[in-house]
Amino acid sequence: MKSYQDIAALLLRLSLGTGFLSAVASRLGLWGSRSSGWQSFLQYTAQVNSFAPARIIPTIAVVATIVEASLGILLLAGFKTQLAACAAMALTLLFAAAMTYSFGLKEPLDYSVFAFSAGAFMLATLPGYRWSIDQLLNS
């Protein structure tokens, strides 16, 4: 059973990390014609954060991009995994709350934001992370 849990933890860590990095790649135009682009991301950030003053929307977008890129890299590498997973849970829960406030409950449910947040929380509760930098450092 433990080996299945190790595989599940690895897959969860990789899927969360790639999910963050894919979103960042899209807003930076790295997915080519499939990218959303920075301007579209700024507009979406303003819609999601409809309660925020317009002047801070670019700051929110930049900070979110830096945090998502950092968390994606940490999760893929398996470095500071518990901390990165806790931060990912908090970030995505805030995102879900903002989406719920601005669009209603359907939007974050359709985009599985609560599931992403719960998965990150689950990852944070695990006692160890096999096949990670954390495991190498703890050996």
Side-chain angles (χ1 to χ4, degrees), residues 7-55:
I7 293 168
L10 174 66
L11 294 175
L12 182 55
R13 188 167 54 82
L14 295 177
S15 64
L16 293 172
T18 55
F20 278 128
L21 291 177
S22 177
V24 170
S26 180
R27 69 186 69 139
L28 297 180
L30 301 177
W31 283 119
S33 64
R34 310 264 311 160
S35 295
S36 60
W38 187 253
Q39 288 306 312
S40 293
F41 178 63
L42 283 174
Q43 291 170 355
Y44 185 67
T45 301
Q47 292 171 349
V48 170
N49 297 283
S50 62
F51 50 85
R55 71 181 188 290

Short mmCIF file of all heavy atoms in Angstrom, two decimals, residues 7-55:
data_model
loop_
_atom_site.label_atom_id
_atom_site.label_comp_id
_atom_site.label_asym_id
_atom_site.label_seq_id
_atom_site.Cartn_x
_atom_site.Cartn_y
_atom_site.Cartn_z
N ILE A 7 3.51 6.64 -5.18
CA ILE A 7 3.21 6.94 -6.59
C ILE A 7 2.15 8.02 -6.68
O ILE A 7 2.27 8.97 -7.47
CB ILE A 7 2.81 5.66 -7.36
CG1 ILE A 7 4.00 4.70 -7.46
CG2 ILE A 7 2.28 6.00 -8.74
CD1 ILE A 7 3.64 3.30 -7.92
N ALA A 8 1.11 7.90 -5.86
CA ALA A 8 0.04 8.90 -5.86
C ALA A 8 0.59 10.27 -5.47
O ALA A 8 0.24 11.29 -6.08
CB ALA A 8 -1.08 8.49 -4.92
N ALA A 9 1.46 10.32 -4.47
CA ALA A 9 2.06 11.59 -4.03
C ALA A 9 2.91 12.19 -5.15
O ALA A 9 2.87 13.40 -5.39
CB ALA A 9 2.91 11.37 -2.78
N LEU A 10 3.68 11.35 -5.84
CA LEU A 10 4.50 11.83 -6.95
C LEU A 10 3.61 12.39 -8.06
O LEU A 10 3.87 13.50 -8.57
CB LEU A 10 5.37 10.70 -7.51
CG LEU A 10 6.17 11.04 -8.77
CD1 LEU A 10 7.22 12.12 -8.48
CD2 LEU A 10 6.80 9.79 -9.36
N LEU A 11 2.58 11.65 -8.43
CA LEU A 11 1.68 12.12 -9.49
C LEU A 11 0.96 13.40 -9.10
O LEU A 11 0.79 14.31 -9.93
CB LEU A 11 0.68 11.02 -9.87
CG LEU A 11 1.29 9.78 -10.52
CD1 LEU A 11 0.23 8.72 -10.72
CD2 LEU A 11 1.98 10.12 -11.82
N LEU A 12 0.55 13.51 -7.85
CA LEU A 12 -0.10 14.73 -7.38
C LEU A 12 0.87 15.91 -7.41
O LEU A 12 0.53 16.99 -7.89
CB LEU A 12 -0.65 14.51 -5.96
CG LEU A 12 -1.42 15.66 -5.34
CD1 LEU A 12 -2.57 16.12 -6.23
CD2 LEU A 12 -1.93 15.26 -3.97
N ARG A 13 2.07 15.68 -6.94
CA ARG A 13 3.10 16.74 -6.96
C ARG A 13 3.38 17.20 -8.38
O ARG A 13 3.43 18.40 -8.66
CB ARG A 13 4.37 16.18 -6.29
CG ARG A 13 5.44 17.18 -6.05
CD ARG A 13 6.53 16.64 -5.11
NE ARG A 13 7.14 15.40 -5.50
CZ ARG A 13 8.12 15.28 -6.39
NH1 ARG A 13 8.59 16.33 -7.01
NH2 ARG A 13 8.63 14.10 -6.66
N LEU A 14 3.52 16.26 -9.30
CA LEU A 14 3.81 16.60 -10.70
C LEU A 14 2.63 17.30 -11.37
O LEU A 14 2.81 18.25 -12.13
CB LEU A 14 4.21 15.35 -11.49
CG LEU A 14 5.52 14.68 -11.05
CD1 LEU A 14 5.75 13.42 -11.87
CD2 LEU A 14 6.70 15.62 -11.14
N SER A 15 1.42 16.83 -11.08
CA SER A 15 0.25 17.46 -11.72
C SER A 15 0.01 18.87 -11.19
O SER A 15 -0.33 19.78 -11.96
CB SER A 15 -0.99 16.58 -11.59
OG SER A 15 -1.37 16.44 -10.24
N LEU A 16 0.19 19.08 -9.90
CA LEU A 16 0.03 20.43 -9.35
C LEU A 16 1.11 21.36 -9.91
O LEU A 16 0.82 22.49 -10.32
CB LEU A 16 0.10 20.40 -7.82
CG LEU A 16 -1.03 19.69 -7.08
CD1 LEU A 16 -0.72 19.58 -5.59
CD2 LEU A 16 -2.35 20.38 -7.30
N GLY A 17 2.34 20.88 -9.93
CA GLY A 17 3.44 21.71 -10.44
C GLY A 17 3.27 22.05 -11.90
O GLY A 17 3.44 23.22 -12.30
N THR A 18 2.91 21.07 -12.72
CA THR A 18 2.73 21.36 -14.15
C THR A 18 1.49 22.22 -14.38
O THR A 18 1.47 23.02 -15.32
CB THR A 18 2.66 20.08 -15.00
OG1 THR A 18 1.62 19.23 -14.50
CG2 THR A 18 3.98 19.34 -15.01
N GLY A 19 0.49 22.08 -13.53
CA GLY A 19 -0.70 22.94 -13.65
C GLY A 19 -0.34 24.40 -13.47
O GLY A 19 -0.77 25.27 -14.24
N PHE A 20 0.45 24.69 -12.44
CA PHE A 20 0.91 26.07 -12.22
C PHE A 20 1.76 26.56 -13.39
O PHE A 20 1.57 27.66 -13.90
CB PHE A 20 1.71 26.18 -10.93
CG PHE A 20 0.88 26.30 -9.69
CD1 PHE A 20 1.10 25.44 -8.61
CD2 PHE A 20 -0.11 27.26 -9.56
CE1 PHE A 20 0.36 25.55 -7.45
CE2 PHE A 20 -0.86 27.39 -8.40
CZ PHE A 20 -0.63 26.53 -7.34
N LEU A 21 2.72 25.74 -13.80
CA LEU A 21 3.64 26.18 -14.86
C LEU A 21 2.95 26.32 -16.21
O LEU A 21 3.32 27.20 -17.00
CB LEU A 21 4.84 25.23 -14.94
CG LEU A 21 5.78 25.29 -13.73
CD1 LEU A 21 6.89 24.26 -13.87
CD2 LEU A 21 6.36 26.68 -13.54
N SER A 22 1.96 25.51 -16.49
CA SER A 22 1.22 25.65 -17.74
C SER A 22 0.46 26.97 -17.78
O SER A 22 0.43 27.65 -18.82
CB SER A 22 0.25 24.48 -17.91
OG SER A 22 -0.51 24.64 -19.08
N ALA A 23 -0.16 27.33 -16.66
CA ALA A 23 -0.88 28.61 -16.60
C ALA A 23 0.07 29.78 -16.80
O ALA A 23 -0.23 30.72 -17.54
CB ALA A 23 -1.61 28.74 -15.25
N VAL A 24 1.24 29.72 -16.18
CA VAL A 24 2.24 30.78 -16.35
C VAL A 24 2.73 30.82 -17.80
O VAL A 24 2.84 31.90 -18.39
CB VAL A 24 3.43 30.57 -15.37
CG1 VAL A 24 4.58 31.50 -15.70
CG2 VAL A 24 2.97 30.78 -13.93
N ALA A 25 3.00 29.66 -18.37
CA ALA A 25 3.46 29.60 -19.77
C ALA A 25 2.43 30.20 -20.71
O ALA A 25 2.78 30.91 -21.67
CB ALA A 25 3.75 28.15 -20.16
N SER A 26 1.15 29.96 -20.44
CA SER A 26 0.09 30.50 -21.30
C SER A 26 0.06 32.02 -21.25
O SER A 26 0.01 32.69 -22.29
CB SER A 26 -1.26 29.93 -20.89
OG SER A 26 -2.28 30.44 -21.73
N ARG A 27 0.12 32.58 -20.06
CA ARG A 27 0.06 34.04 -19.98
C ARG A 27 1.31 34.72 -20.50
O ARG A 27 1.28 35.88 -20.88
CB ARG A 27 -0.29 34.49 -18.56
CG ARG A 27 0.74 34.28 -17.52
CD ARG A 27 0.21 34.61 -16.14
NE ARG A 27 -0.79 33.66 -15.72
CZ ARG A 27 -0.88 33.17 -14.49
NH1 ARG A 27 -0.08 33.58 -13.54
NH2 ARG A 27 -1.81 32.29 -14.20
N LEU A 28 2.43 33.98 -20.54
CA LEU A 28 3.67 34.54 -21.09
C LEU A 28 3.84 34.23 -22.58
O LEU A 28 4.87 34.56 -23.17
CB LEU A 28 4.87 34.01 -20.30
CG LEU A 28 4.92 34.41 -18.82
CD1 LEU A 28 6.15 33.82 -18.14
CD2 LEU A 28 4.86 35.92 -18.64
N GLY A 29 2.85 33.58 -23.18
CA GLY A 29 2.87 33.32 -24.61
C GLY A 29 3.71 32.13 -25.03
O GLY A 29 3.99 31.95 -26.21
N LEU A 30 4.09 31.28 -24.08
CA LEU A 30 4.97 30.15 -24.39
C LEU A 30 4.24 28.96 -25.01
O LEU A 30 4.89 28.02 -25.48
CB LEU A 30 5.71 29.70 -23.11
CG LEU A 30 6.57 30.78 -22.46
CD1 LEU A 30 7.20 30.26 -21.18
CD2 LEU A 30 7.62 31.30 -23.43
N TRP A 31 2.92 28.98 -25.03
CA TRP A 31 2.14 27.93 -25.68
C TRP A 31 1.79 28.32 -27.12
O TRP A 31 0.92 27.70 -27.72
CB TRP A 31 0.87 27.62 -24.91
CG TRP A 31 1.04 26.78 -23.67
CD1 TRP A 31 0.73 27.14 -22.41
CD2 TRP A 31 1.55 25.44 -23.58
NE1 TRP A 31 1.01 26.11 -21.53
CE2 TRP A 31 1.52 25.05 -22.23
CE3 TRP A 31 2.04 24.53 -24.52
CZ2 TRP A 31 1.94 23.80 -21.79
CZ3 TRP A 31 2.48 23.29 -24.07
CH2 TRP A 31 2.42 22.94 -22.73
N GLY A 32 2.42 29.34 -27.64
CA GLY A 32 2.17 29.75 -29.02
C GLY A 32 0.75 30.24 -29.21
O GLY A 32 0.21 30.99 -28.39
N SER A 33 0.12 29.78 -30.28
CA SER A 33 -1.24 30.24 -30.59
C SER A 33 -2.27 29.79 -29.54
O SER A 33 -3.37 30.32 -29.49
CB SER A 33 -1.66 29.74 -31.97
OG SER A 33 -1.72 28.33 -31.98
N ARG A 34 -1.90 28.83 -28.71
CA ARG A 34 -2.82 28.34 -27.66
C ARG A 34 -2.69 29.16 -26.37
O ARG A 34 -3.38 28.89 -25.40
CB ARG A 34 -2.55 26.87 -27.37
CG ARG A 34 -2.50 25.97 -28.58
CD ARG A 34 -3.72 25.25 -28.94
NE ARG A 34 -4.30 24.57 -27.80
CZ ARG A 34 -5.56 24.20 -27.78
NH1 ARG A 34 -6.33 24.42 -28.81
NH2 ARG A 34 -6.06 23.59 -26.74
N SER A 35 -1.80 30.14 -26.36
CA SER A 35 -1.58 30.97 -25.17
C SER A 35 -2.68 32.00 -25.01
O SER A 35 -3.24 32.50 -25.98
CB SER A 35 -0.24 31.70 -25.29
OG SER A 35 0.83 30.79 -25.28
N SER A 36 -2.95 32.33 -23.75
CA SER A 36 -3.92 33.39 -23.47
C SER A 36 -3.28 34.76 -23.62
O SER A 36 -3.92 35.71 -24.04
CB SER A 36 -4.49 33.23 -22.07
OG SER A 36 -3.46 33.30 -21.09
N GLY A 37 -2.01 34.88 -23.29
CA GLY A 37 -1.29 36.15 -23.39
C GLY A 37 -1.47 37.01 -22.15
O GLY A 37 -2.39 36.83 -21.36
N TRP A 38 -0.55 37.95 -22.00
CA TRP A 38 -0.52 38.78 -20.79
C TRP A 38 -1.73 39.71 -20.70
O TRP A 38 -2.31 39.87 -19.63
CB TRP A 38 0.79 39.57 -20.73
CG TRP A 38 0.93 40.30 -19.43
CD1 TRP A 38 0.81 41.65 -19.22
CD2 TRP A 38 1.18 39.73 -18.14
NE1 TRP A 38 0.96 41.94 -17.89
CE2 TRP A 38 1.20 40.78 -17.21
CE3 TRP A 38 1.38 38.42 -17.69
CZ2 TRP A 38 1.42 40.57 -15.85
CZ3 TRP A 38 1.60 38.22 -16.34
CH2 TRP A 38 1.62 39.28 -15.44
N GLN A 39 -2.10 40.33 -21.80
CA GLN A 39 -3.23 41.27 -21.76
C GLN A 39 -4.53 40.56 -21.38
O GLN A 39 -5.31 41.07 -20.58
CB GLN A 39 -3.39 42.00 -23.10
CG GLN A 39 -2.30 43.03 -23.36
CD GLN A 39 -2.16 44.04 -22.21
OE1 GLN A 39 -3.12 44.59 -21.72
NE2 GLN A 39 -0.92 44.24 -21.78
N SER A 40 -4.75 39.39 -21.92
CA SER A 40 -5.94 38.62 -21.55
C SER A 40 -5.89 38.23 -20.08
O SER A 40 -6.92 38.24 -19.39
CB SER A 40 -6.07 37.37 -22.41
OG SER A 40 -6.32 37.71 -23.74
N PHE A 41 -4.69 37.89 -19.61
CA PHE A 41 -4.55 37.54 -18.19
C PHE A 41 -4.85 38.74 -17.30
O PHE A 41 -5.50 38.61 -16.26
CB PHE A 41 -3.16 36.97 -17.90
CG PHE A 41 -2.96 36.64 -16.46
CD1 PHE A 41 -3.73 35.66 -15.83
CD2 PHE A 41 -2.01 37.30 -15.70
CE1 PHE A 41 -3.57 35.36 -14.49
CE2 PHE A 41 -1.84 37.01 -14.36
CZ PHE A 41 -2.61 36.04 -13.74
N LEU A 42 -4.39 39.92 -17.69
CA LEU A 42 -4.69 41.12 -16.91
C LEU A 42 -6.20 41.37 -16.85
O LEU A 42 -6.75 41.71 -15.80
CB LEU A 42 -3.99 42.35 -17.50
CG LEU A 42 -2.51 42.50 -17.21
CD1 LEU A 42 -1.94 43.68 -17.98
CD2 LEU A 42 -2.25 42.65 -15.72
N GLN A 43 -6.88 41.19 -17.97
CA GLN A 43 -8.34 41.37 -18.00
C GLN A 43 -9.03 40.34 -17.10
O GLN A 43 -9.96 40.67 -16.36
CB GLN A 43 -8.86 41.26 -19.44
CG GLN A 43 -8.44 42.41 -20.31
CD GLN A 43 -8.78 42.17 -21.78
OE1 GLN A 43 -9.24 41.10 -22.17
NE2 GLN A 43 -8.51 43.17 -22.61
N TYR A 44 -8.57 39.09 -17.17
CA TYR A 44 -9.16 38.04 -16.34
C TYR A 44 -8.88 38.30 -14.86
O TYR A 44 -9.75 38.11 -14.01
CB TYR A 44 -8.62 36.67 -16.76
CG TYR A 44 -9.28 35.53 -16.02
CD1 TYR A 44 -10.63 35.24 -16.21
CD2 TYR A 44 -8.57 34.75 -15.13
CE1 TYR A 44 -11.25 34.21 -15.53
CE2 TYR A 44 -9.17 33.71 -14.44
CZ TYR A 44 -10.51 33.44 -14.65
OH TYR A 44 -11.11 32.42 -13.96
N THR A 45 -7.68 38.76 -14.55
CA THR A 45 -7.33 39.10 -13.17
C THR A 45 -8.26 40.18 -12.64
O THR A 45 -8.73 40.11 -11.50
CB THR A 45 -5.86 39.56 -13.08
OG1 THR A 45 -5.01 38.52 -13.56
CG2 THR A 45 -5.46 39.90 -11.65
N ALA A 46 -8.55 41.18 -13.47
CA ALA A 46 -9.48 42.25 -13.07
C ALA A 46 -10.89 41.69 -12.84
O ALA A 46 -11.58 42.10 -11.90
CB ALA A 46 -9.50 43.34 -14.12
N GLN A 47 -11.32 40.75 -13.68
CA GLN A 47 -12.65 40.16 -13.52
C GLN A 47 -12.74 39.32 -12.25
O GLN A 47 -13.71 39.42 -11.49
CB GLN A 47 -13.00 39.30 -14.73
CG GLN A 47 -13.21 40.07 -16.00
CD GLN A 47 -13.33 39.16 -17.22
OE1 GLN A 47 -13.07 37.97 -17.15
NE2 GLN A 47 -13.72 39.73 -18.34
N VAL A 48 -11.72 38.49 -12.02
CA VAL A 48 -11.71 37.62 -10.83
C VAL A 48 -11.65 38.46 -9.55
O VAL A 48 -12.30 38.14 -8.56
CB VAL A 48 -10.53 36.61 -10.88
CG1 VAL A 48 -10.37 35.89 -9.55
CG2 VAL A 48 -10.74 35.60 -11.99
N ASN A 49 -10.87 39.52 -9.60
CA ASN A 49 -10.69 40.39 -8.43
C ASN A 49 -11.52 41.65 -8.59
O ASN A 49 -11.03 42.77 -8.41
CB ASN A 49 -9.21 40.73 -8.27
CG ASN A 49 -8.39 39.49 -7.99
OD1 ASN A 49 -8.39 38.98 -6.88
ND2 ASN A 49 -7.69 39.00 -9.00
N SER A 50 -12.79 41.47 -8.90
CA SER A 50 -13.68 42.59 -9.16
C SER A 50 -13.81 43.54 -7.98
O SER A 50 -14.18 44.70 -8.14
CB SER A 50 -15.07 42.07 -9.55
OG SER A 50 -15.62 41.33 -8.48
N PHE A 51 -13.47 43.08 -6.80
CA PHE A 51 -13.54 43.87 -5.58
C PHE A 51 -12.29 44.74 -5.38
O PHE A 51 -12.28 45.63 -4.54
CB PHE A 51 -13.69 42.94 -4.37
CG PHE A 51 -12.68 41.83 -4.37
CD1 PHE A 51 -11.41 42.00 -3.85
CD2 PHE A 51 -13.00 40.61 -4.95
CE1 PHE A 51 -10.48 40.98 -3.88
CE2 PHE A 51 -12.07 39.57 -4.99
CZ PHE A 51 -10.81 39.76 -4.45
N ALA A 52 -11.24 44.49 -6.16
CA ALA A 52 -9.97 45.20 -5.99
C ALA A 52 -9.93 46.48 -6.85
O ALA A 52 -10.48 46.49 -7.95
CB ALA A 52 -8.80 44.29 -6.37
N PRO A 53 -9.26 47.50 -6.36
CA PRO A 53 -9.10 48.72 -7.17
C PRO A 53 -8.32 48.40 -8.45
O PRO A 53 -7.37 47.61 -8.44
CB PRO A 53 -8.30 49.67 -6.28
CG PRO A 53 -8.41 49.11 -4.89
CD PRO A 53 -8.65 47.64 -5.03
N ALA A 54 -8.70 49.04 -9.55
CA ALA A 54 -8.09 48.78 -10.85
C ALA A 54 -6.57 49.02 -10.84
O ALA A 54 -5.84 48.33 -11.54
CB ALA A 54 -8.75 49.64 -11.92
N ARG A 55 -6.12 49.95 -10.05
CA ARG A 55 -4.69 50.29 -10.06
C ARG A 55 -3.80 49.17 -9.50
O ARG A 55 -2.60 49.15 -9.78
CB ARG A 55 -4.44 51.60 -9.33
CG ARG A 55 -4.61 51.55 -7.84
CD ARG A 55 -4.37 52.91 -7.18
NE ARG A 55 -4.35 52.84 -5.76
CZ ARG A 55 -5.40 52.59 -4.97
NH1 ARG A 55 -6.58 52.38 -5.51
NH2 ARG A 55 -5.27 52.53 -3.66
#
